[in-house]
Structure formats: C-alpha cells, structure tokens
Amino acid sequence: MELNKTSIKGLYLTTEGKAWHKSAKREIPASTNGKVRFNGKLYDLQKIMIETKPKAPKRPVKKSVFVRELHKLGYRKTKITGLFITNAGLCYNSVSKRSLAIRKGKTAINGKNYNVAKIVLDTFCKIPIRNGQISFKNGNDKDFYFENLDYKSTIKQLPPNETDLLQCIRFYFEIDKKLTTSNILFKCYLNEIAVKRNFIFLYKDNDFILFLEWLKPFGTNQSKAEISKTHNYSTINGTNAINKYLTMLVNECMQDFENGKLKVKEFKPKPPTKNQKLKDLQKSVNEMGLSVKIPLRKSSTKELLDKFKTHLK
C-alpha cells in the first residue's frame, strides 16, 4: 500500500484519501462530519487532504545519453570514480568531461596517479593486479592495448627454515641449545658468519643493500617489510631480495659442510648449578685436608617435584 505523509506526525493518507495510522497499521474511519480522531485530537480530513501533496510516481532511471555515447566510443567504466577507459588505454574523466593525458604510464584523476596498464587489465581482462610485473609483448611501453599486456605475479621467495639456519651457525659457533631465530644473538652469529666468509663483499646488486640492512645485529631492528619500504621496494620484492641472499648464504655453508670443509660444533655445555658449584668447592676443601662442611643449597619446591616425577618414570 502506498501512503502519503501528512504534516501530522504518524498520520498518513492512502491513495484513496483515507486516514491511516502508521504505527497501529490500520485505517482511521472518518465521522459523518468528515473528522478523524488521531492521538486524542480531531482533525479535518478534507483539510489534511488539501495540505498533503501526493508522492510523485517514480520514473525508471535511464542511463544518460553521455554514458551511452562513451560506450559507443569503446570506453568502459572503471573502479575509479569518474574514470572511463578504452581497451587501448585512452582515459576519460566523466566528471570534467575531458580526455586525460598519460605520463610515464600513469594518468591522474581525483588528485591521484594510476597505472594505466593495471586499469586496462582490471577493466577488460578482469585481472586484479596486486604484486607482480606487467610487460609489453611488442616492447612498446606506450602501447596499452589489452592484448599487448602480459601480467605475471611475483613468485614468493621463501626464507631458509630455522633448522638450516641454526645448523649453519653451529658450523662456526657453540650455541645454546635453546637458541631460536627470534633471539637477539641470532643475527649476531649470522653477521659474523657473513663477515668471515666475505659474503658481505661478494655482491654489488642494488637489492643487496636490503640484506645488509636486515643483517645488522644491532641496527634499527626493522622488519623486512619496513626495510623494503625505506629503500622504495614493494614489500614482496624487498622481502624476496632479503630471503634470496639469506638462502644463498645458507646454501654456501651447507655445500662446504657436504664437502667436509665445515663440521657441526657441539652445543654450549650447561652452566653448573649452585649445588654443583658448592659440591666442587667441598671437593677442593676435602683435598686440602680441611674438616669444613659446606652446606648445600636446599632444593626448591619445583626441583623436588621434578625429582619426584623423574622417580615415577
């Protein structure tokens, strides 16, 4: 049922001119003298009908002639507000109604620059571009025709696993058995290995500086993503570069190990406990012929429980 809103809150008129209580969802019958009672008050129905304007019928929204003309010329709407583009990369601003220039593969609209090749692929090939590389098949980087564009996603370079990294460190150092890659000493060891092997002087590529920055043991402690951003690399490309050189370092160490040039060192021995130190001291005292009894430290509750559990096994 179509209702017309009146100037009285909650009171509506039907298309037949009858009063309608919207909250109660019912018709309000008029009296013989044309009055209706609503919320305890009497209102002149005829007067309400005169004051209330009926709703204009909704007309179907037609696509503007302007947009249809753009479609005839081969333009298609993009995900960017106001931007239309052809499959050859011609750009048009539907708001300002003007063609847009392309400079260095980008066009500007709404105060931002957009990669034309990406928009063409997204609009006409339904390829959402995230990380990857777009190449031009004919070698002309100004030819944005959709069939001339080739997109390849960037392959993610995984870092070496933690086991291999720690084993490489054990080729050079006796480390704590509980050492992990999150430990602050991890990069100290790794940096020393890179220096000893002259690895830090082997490469001159631009992306090698990212690896050196990440390798600093007491640097800014930035993540791989943060280092990438600092050096104007995308997160995936920068991370790939760091992981690439880290993998190369590990592979070199592993190769030397397989060739017998390196050996795995033992873990650091556990430091003696307080009781062990006291026992060693007592032994020294006994060897000196002194009749001194050194009291041992009492075992903690946790130590007693551990001994009890060991006894139960």
Side-chain angles (χ1 to χ4, degrees), residues 7-71:
S7 59
I8 302 161
K9 187 177 180 180
L11 182 63
Y12 287 74
L13 292 179
T14 66
T15 51
E16 292 83 14
K18 296 178 181 179
W20 184 268
H21 195 307
K22 191 173 183 183
S23 299
K25 296 181 180 179
R26 63 178 178 82
E27 183 185 326
I28 304 173
S31 63
T32 52
N33 58 355
K35 303 283 186 180
V36 291
R37 184 175 292 278
F38 180 72
N39 289 343
K41 293 183 181 180
L42 286 173
Y43 296 94
D44 190 323
L45 182 58
Q46 191 66 30
K47 187 178 179 182
I48 295 172
M49 290 173 65
I50 294 170
E51 292 175 348
T52 303
K53 293 181 180 179
K55 285 183 180 179
K58 291 183 179 179
R59 295 180 181 179
V61 179
K62 293 183 179 179
K63 191 180 285 187
S64 68
V65 176
F66 171 68
V67 173
R68 288 205 303 269
E69 289 299 320
L70 283 177
H71 280 190

Side-chain angles (χ1 to χ4, degrees), residues 159-294:
N161 61 57
E162 187 173 34
T163 304
D164 288 344
L165 285 166
L166 295 177
Q167 186 170 359
C168 285
I169 293 173
R170 290 182 64 197
F171 293 152
Y172 291 88
F173 304 98
E174 287 185 352
I175 62 173
D176 193 298
K177 198 171 185 178
K178 294 183 179 180
L179 181 73
T180 64
T181 53
S182 59
N183 191 297
I184 192 172
L185 293 174
F186 167 71
K187 281 191 182 179
C188 294
Y189 288 130
L190 211 58
N191 185 67
E192 282 296 315
I193 293 170
V195 172
K196 285 184 178 184
R197 297 183 64 89
N198 285 326
F199 187 83
I200 59 173
F201 306 111
L202 292 179
Y203 302 96
K204 302 296 181 183
D205 298 335
N206 291 333
D207 59 359
F208 189 55
I209 192 171
L210 277 73
F211 173 73
L212 296 178
E213 189 71 28
W214 174 82
L215 193 62
K216 289 179 181 177
F218 301 109
T220 55
N221 199 27
Q222 289 181 309
S223 66
K224 293 176 182 178
E226 290 169 335
I227 292 171
S228 302
K229 187 177 180 181
T230 302
H231 293 275
N232 297 319
Y233 280 79
S234 67
T235 299
I236 190 166
N237 287 338
T239 303
N240 277 353
I242 295 169
N243 291 342
K244 176 182 71 174
Y245 291 110
L246 183 58
T247 302
M248 290 166 69
L249 176 61
V250 170
N251 288 344
E252 283 185 13
C253 293
M254 289 296 187
Q255 190 62 52
D256 284 353
F257 171 68
E258 290 174 7
N259 294 338
K261 295 180 181 179
L262 294 173
K263 291 183 179 180
V264 179
K265 295 184 181 293
E266 296 293 331
F267 288 110
K268 276 184 180 178
K270 287 184 178 180
T273 62
K274 288 185 179 180
N275 269 349
Q276 187 60 48
K277 289 178 181 178
L278 292 172
K279 286 178 181 178
D280 291 342
L281 182 59
Q282 182 68 61
K283 187 177 179 181
S284 299
V285 168
N286 293 341
E287 289 174 353
M288 293 170 65
L290 300 174
S291 57
V292 178
K293 183 68 175 176
I294 299 172

